[in-house]
Amino acid sequence: MKKYFVMVGSFIARAWRFVLSLFETHQHLHVTHTKYNSEGEVVDVLIKSFTVRKFYKQSPKHIKFKTYDGTHVELKTATPMDYMTETIVGEVKTFE
């Protein structure tokens, strides 16, 4: 019996997220982090991408946001970050 309550609760949560996604503007966030060696040459470039539901704080050295999955993410750096946001237009999230 407990198994069915978990399944129903999971379905209701996914349906609620779907309904909310119809009224929110989602964005893709791409953050680039470049590592340099002691001589100033580029050693490695890391690119991280997120699907953002809501931004809480957005400044050059500090970004705080919530992902589509409901995870809260906070990125802090000592130097300004290179990031790019793009709005998702017309993309409908389906049940997963």
Side-chain angles (χ1 to χ4, degrees):
M1 190 69 166
K2 185 177 180 180
K3 177 181 173 183
Y4 295 111
F5 286 125
V6 171
M7 288 174 48
V8 169
S10 174
F11 174 77
I12 291 171
R14 286 185 288 143
W16 181 249
R17 269 191 260 141
F18 175 75
V19 170
L20 286 180
S21 72
L22 297 175
F23 299 102
E24 295 177 336
T25 57
H26 299 289
Q27 295 181 338
H28 283 300
L29 172 68
H30 306 283
V31 180
T32 306
H33 179 67
T34 308
K35 292 184 179 181
Y36 299 96
N37 62 7
S38 60
E39 298 168 356
E41 299 172 351
V42 175
V43 176
D44 193 15
V45 176
L46 301 171
I47 299 173
K48 294 185 180 182
S49 297
F50 302 95
T51 303
V52 178
R53 173 177 272 173
K54 181 178 181 181
F55 281 102
Y56 296 112
K57 182 173 184 177
Q58 194 173 8
S59 67
K61 296 183 181 181
H62 187 203
I63 299 176
K64 193 174 186 181
F65 58 91
K66 182 178 184 180
T67 64
Y68 185 75
D69 299 330
T71 309
H72 291 271
V73 180
E74 185 172 4
L75 303 172
K76 288 184 180 180
T77 60
T79 58
M81 286 185 254
D82 294 330
Y83 63 90
M84 177 181 69
T85 60
E86 49 185 314
T87 304
I88 302 170
V89 179
E91 183 175 320
V92 177
K93 299 290 182 180
T94 59
F95 291 110
E96 298 171 355

